[in-house]
């Protein structure tokens, strides 16, 4: 029979999310969701631009930019986009809509729904104190799935014995 | 191919213990599989998930992910973790006589 290791499940993972763009917030949630589905204790720590992913009024509008992103190709082709073109008005919205569509086709939920799903699975979400202050955020700005705003030292205590992924 | 005797049937299983022949499964077998992994009693909610997984597998040819179960069978994510603690995707697949899901989400 499969080894589900209920008793030995002391693995802990911390994901540091430092970017608030659509692709990296998605990467964080895919990994986080996989971890928690394996019975791993999960903490996600949002810092710097990653805070966009937990600011309630912004989290439905995360974007991906084709600017300075040479690996971004039209799916199924080798065609990328020159920076001159990528910087034209509307290109970020275009790229974001395209990625959202591709993700939807793979049944990847939109960001807020994905966060809720991982939260419902038992994950802990934290905001970084220093960058929260620097960006002049208030408690009302945060999505209500965030447990608390914590300091770097708090994070060190929290992450003791954990594996850490920095995104 | 390894086999394992569960519920009086010699089941074909892979190296992890998941059944490899879905046709060997029937509803009488599920409670025995559940007991193997610490689920002592299958409630109606368990059955809702199991029956969805089986019918979805017949239609799609692969095991549904947690996301698919929560959206299509209408069982909230939180409940899936209560019904099949810690490793819901693997446990629900095991009890349903299916391979674990291959999808990422």
């Amino acid at each position: 029979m499969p080894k589900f290791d209920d008793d030995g499940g002391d693995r802990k993972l911390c994901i540091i999310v430092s970017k608030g763009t659509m692709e990296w917030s998605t990467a964080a949630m895919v990994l986080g969701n996989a971890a928690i589905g394996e019975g791993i204790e999960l903490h996600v720590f949002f810092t710097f631009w990653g805070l966009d992913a937990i600011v309630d009024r912004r989290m439905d509008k995360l974007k991906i930019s084709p600017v300075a992103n040479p690996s971004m190709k039209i799916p199924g082709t080798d065609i990328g986009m020159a920076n001159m073109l990528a910087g034209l008005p509307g290109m970020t919205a275009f790229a974001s809509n395209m990625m959202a569509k591709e993700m939807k086709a793979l049944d990847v939920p939109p960001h807020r729904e994905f966060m809720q799903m991982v939260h419902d699975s038992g994950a802990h979400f934290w905001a970084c104190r220093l960058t929260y202050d620097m960006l002049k955020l208030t408690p009302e700005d945060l999505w209500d799935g965030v447990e608390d705003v914590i300091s770097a030292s708090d994070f060190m205590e929290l992450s003791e014995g954990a594996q850490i992924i920095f995104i | 191919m390894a086999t394992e005797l569960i519920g009086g049937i010699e089941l074909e299983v892979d190296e992890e213990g998941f059944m490899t022949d879905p046709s060997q499964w029937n509803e009488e077998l599920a409670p025995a599989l559940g007991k193997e992994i610490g689920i002592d009693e299958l409630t109606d909610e368990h059955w809702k998930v199991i029956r969805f997984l089986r019918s979805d597998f017949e239609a799609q040819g692969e095991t549904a992910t947690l996301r698919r179960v929560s959206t299509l069978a209408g069982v909230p994510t939180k409940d899936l973790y209560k019904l099949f603690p810690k490793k819901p995707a693997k446990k629900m697949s095991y009890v349903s006589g299916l391979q674990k899901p291959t999808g990422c989400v």
Side-chain angles (χ1 to χ4, degrees):
Chain A
M1 83 177 235
K3 287 190 172 50
F4 290 116
D5 292 325
D6 275 346
D7 302 327
D10 55 357
R11 228 176 124 188
K12 194 202 266 193
L13 178 71
C14 291
I15 301 179
I16 302 172
V17 184
S18 69
K19 298 176 188 74
T21 50
M22 189 189 253
E23 75 274 39
W24 295 115
S25 62
T26 303
M29 284 306 105
V30 170
L31 291 172
N33 184 53
I36 204 143
E38 285 296 303
I40 298 169
E41 181 182 332
L42 175 69
H43 298 269
V44 189
F45 182 72
F46 296 86
T47 185
F48 277 91
W49 323 121
L51 286 168
D52 255 14
I54 50 169
V55 169
D56 197 84
R57 65 178 179 280
R58 298 178 191 158
M59 62 193 285
D60 294 319
K61 300 171 192 160
L62 303 184
K63 300 274 194 295
I64 181 169
S65 173
V67 174
N69 199 350
S71 295
M72 186 192 222
K73 306 286 192 298
I74 296 171
T77 76
D78 293 326
I79 304 167
M81 197 185 281
N83 276 334
M84 284 272 290
L85 288 176
L88 290 174
M91 281 303 182
T92 295
F94 170 74
S96 305
N97 287 336
M98 200 157 100
M99 179 172 160
K101 217 173 84 189
E102 297 292 339
M103 284 291 157
K104 194 176 175 197
L106 295 172
D107 202 26
V108 177
H111 179 63
R112 182 188 294 271
E113 202 182 324
F114 211 167
M115 293 274 285
Q116 190 64 52
M117 181 174 141
V118 176
H119 186 263
D120 288 348
S121 309
H124 304 277
F125 294 126
W126 309 96
C128 158
R129 164 64 59 190
L130 182 83
T131 47
Y132 169 92
D133 287 342
M134 181 189 93
L135 297 169
K136 302 198 171 15
L137 295 172
T138 67
E140 291 72 46
D141 293 326
L142 296 182
W143 175 61
D144 60 11
V146 177
E147 262 170 66
D148 206 354
V149 182
I150 62 171
S151 71
S153 319
D154 292 335
F155 178 75
M156 287 306 141
E157 286 178 12
L158 188 81
S159 60
E160 188 181 349
Q163 293 169 303
I164 297 182
I165 296 177
F166 185 92
I167 294 179
Chain B
M1 180 78 65
T3 61
E4 219 167 316
L5 185 69
I6 294 171
I9 305 175
E10 198 70 35
L11 301 175
E12 288 181 21
V13 297
D14 65 14
E15 62 275 12
E16 282 186 275
F18 288 92
M19 286 174 61
T20 51
D21 179 3
S23 70
Q24 279 196 304
W25 186 91
N26 57 53
E27 293 205 352
E28 285 76 56
L29 188 61
L33 289 167
K35 285 201 175 71
E36 289 285 319
I37 59 167
I39 299 171
D40 291 330
E41 198 191 334
L42 296 179
T43 63
D44 290 348
E45 281 296 289
H46 286 107
W47 277 110
K48 191 175 171 185
V49 175
I50 295 167
R51 291 191 177 122
F52 171 77
L53 280 178
R54 291 298 303 192
S55 66
D56 193 62
F57 176 80
E58 265 174 46
Q60 306 290 327
E62 58 182 19
T63 309
T65 61
L66 289 181
R67 155 93 176 148
R68 197 170 162 83
V69 176
S70 68
T71 52
L72 295 183
V75 183
T77 304
K78 265 186 191 167
D79 294 358
L80 289 172
Y81 277 81
K82 278 189 202 127
L83 294 167
F84 304 96
K86 299 256 191 183
K87 299 189 182 184
K90 284 184 178 167
K91 287 184 177 176
M92 69 184 188
S93 315
Y94 181 78
V95 175
S96 307
L98 301 170
Q99 293 281 296
K100 62 187 177 186
T102 53
C104 280
V105 179

